[in-house]
Amino acid sequence: MTEKRELLYEGKAKKLYVTDEKELLWVEYLNQATALNGLKKNEIAGKGELNNQITSFIFEYLSKKGIRHHFVKKLSKTEQLIQKVKIIPLEVVLRNVAAGSFSKRLGVKEGTPFSLPIVEFYFKEDALDDPFINDEHVLALKIAKQAEIDLLKVKVRKINKVLIEMFQKAKIRLIDFKLEFGRLPDGAIILADEVSPDTCRLWDAKTNEHLDKDIYRRDLGDLVLVYQKVLERLLTI
Ligand code: UDP
């Protein structure tokens, strides 16, 4: 049985602890919700539990589809065991449909679908507000090599296909999402972090109602009720 040891890192939505096994970390999902790069912040009882359950479900689904990731197992309602990776400081965003910052920045109406999904990179650096960057910036900043950039794009598009199909079964449209990847000691790049309504835009397939963190960002209602709905629907597929 793996043992939890000291706190390694506290993020906005998760705490990471080292364990007695050097290749494994212990994650605790918190109830904190943040938006606008931390300017908006609230404690929402039940949120950590829901994100842990949804992320665990999705990682297990991805395993069945042959996608490698850092998730090892769910330990409790709010905790997971994960493989230790060195996180690549990129937010890899994939967009199937225009929304959020894309719509705002480029004046494209929310809900406009793209025939080819768009992959974007953001430099994960809170002090700079996670700026949008392109492939050449990634190379110049020595964040990843060209072959790794290409690999990230292939991986995110493949994960998109699997997630679209998974959410379709739950009568949910996958609008866009953000992924993070990490390097294992042998250099292999695997999916890390979380996949949840905090990191994906999910719209009801029939009504297009928001089933994600936009509920909190835009003050549209009760986030916990909505995340519960997502979990319940996923558990039926
Ligand atoms: N996203 C995220 N973390 C971030 C920024 C974005 O998980 O720090 C997700 C967000 O939930 C959405 C997608 O990435 O599913 C695209 O977000 P966008 O660039 O539209 O930014 P936003 O409108 O959230 O500011």
Side-chain angles (χ1 to χ4, degrees):
M1 181 56 193
T2 311
E3 283 175 31
K4 181 176 166 187
R5 295 272 162 88
E6 71 272 14
L7 181 70
L8 179 67
Y9 169 79
E10 180 163 358
K12 292 187 201 116
K14 295 187 277 287
K15 277 184 180 170
L16 276 180
Y17 298 87
V18 292
T19 69
D20 57 332
E21 294 179 67
K22 73 174 191 318
E23 73 281 11
L24 296 178
L25 296 178
W26 190 293
V27 190
E28 186 189 343
Y29 277 68
L30 307 174
N31 284 334
Q32 182 160 273
T34 58
L36 309 168
N37 247 342
L39 284 178
K40 180 171 174 176
K41 203 196 275 187
N42 292 90
E43 277 288 305
I44 302 182
K47 176 176 175 286
E49 207 172 290
L50 282 160
N51 272 344
N52 180 38
Q53 295 195 72
I54 294 169
T55 293
S56 299
F57 178 93
I58 294 176
F59 277 132
E60 278 165 11
Y61 188 92
L62 291 172
S63 289
K64 286 185 219 145
K65 301 291 172 181
I67 289 166
R68 222 173 146 192
H69 51 65
H70 75 161
F71 176 80
V72 177
K73 68 174 175 186
K74 184 148 116 1
L75 293 163
S76 75
K77 283 188 170 172
T78 55
E79 296 163 301
Q80 291 177 8
L81 204 58
I82 58 166
Q83 272 181 287
K84 185 173 181 175
V85 294
K86 210 164 180 294
I87 291 286
I88 299 172
L90 288 178
E91 298 200 333
V92 183
V93 167
L94 184 140
R95 302 180 187 275
N96 292 306
V97 175
S101 71
F102 185 96
S103 293
K104 208 167 160 188
R105 203 162 61 86
L106 300 173
V108 178
K109 196 170 176 293
E110 280 209 327
T112 310
F114 303 122
S115 42
L116 175 69
I118 298 170
V119 177
E120 296 175 347
F121 295 122
Y122 293 82
F123 180 31
K124 232 174 96 71
E125 183 57 65
D126 276 345
L128 301 173
D129 281 351
D130 301 341
F132 178 78
I133 57 174
N134 69 18
D135 294 26
E136 293 181 14
H137 294 135
V138 176
L139 290 173
L141 295 173
K142 298 197 181 344
I143 295 170
K145 302 200 172 85
Q146 188 60 54
E148 293 175 324
I149 297 173
D150 297 342
L151 185 68
L152 287 174
K153 289 184 185 174
V154 169
K155 281 184 189 281
V156 70
R157 288 188 191 282
K158 184 168 175 209
I159 292 167
N160 183 45
K161 285 194 182 142
V162 174
L163 291 180
I164 286 179
E165 198 186 270
M166 180 195 77
F167 280 119
Q168 246 166 16
K169 291 190 218 163
K171 307 212 166 21
I172 291 172
R173 290 175 71 198
L174 178 61
I175 304 302
D176 60 29
F177 57 92
K178 181 265 299 180
L179 300 178
E180 293 181 25
F181 291 86
R183 293 188 180 94
L184 286 169
D186 68 1
I189 292 180
I190 62 169
L191 177 63
D193 195 45
E194 68 176 283
V195 184
S196 75
D198 268 9
T199 62
C200 301
R201 274 199 176 87
L202 306 170
W203 292 2
D204 181 274
K206 259 204 203 127
T207 65
N208 279 337
E209 78 184 277
H210 296 275
L211 301 173
D212 56 57
K213 201 167 129 183
D214 278 345
I215 294 282
Y216 173 73
R217 292 188 191 100
R218 303 177 186 186
D219 293 319
L220 298 175
D222 187 334
L223 174 144
V224 165
L225 290 180
V226 166
Y227 283 26
Q228 253 159 6
K229 201 186 279 189
V230 172
L231 177 63
E232 277 163 23
R233 288 201 200 175
L234 285 174
L235 293 175
T236 66
I237 72 173

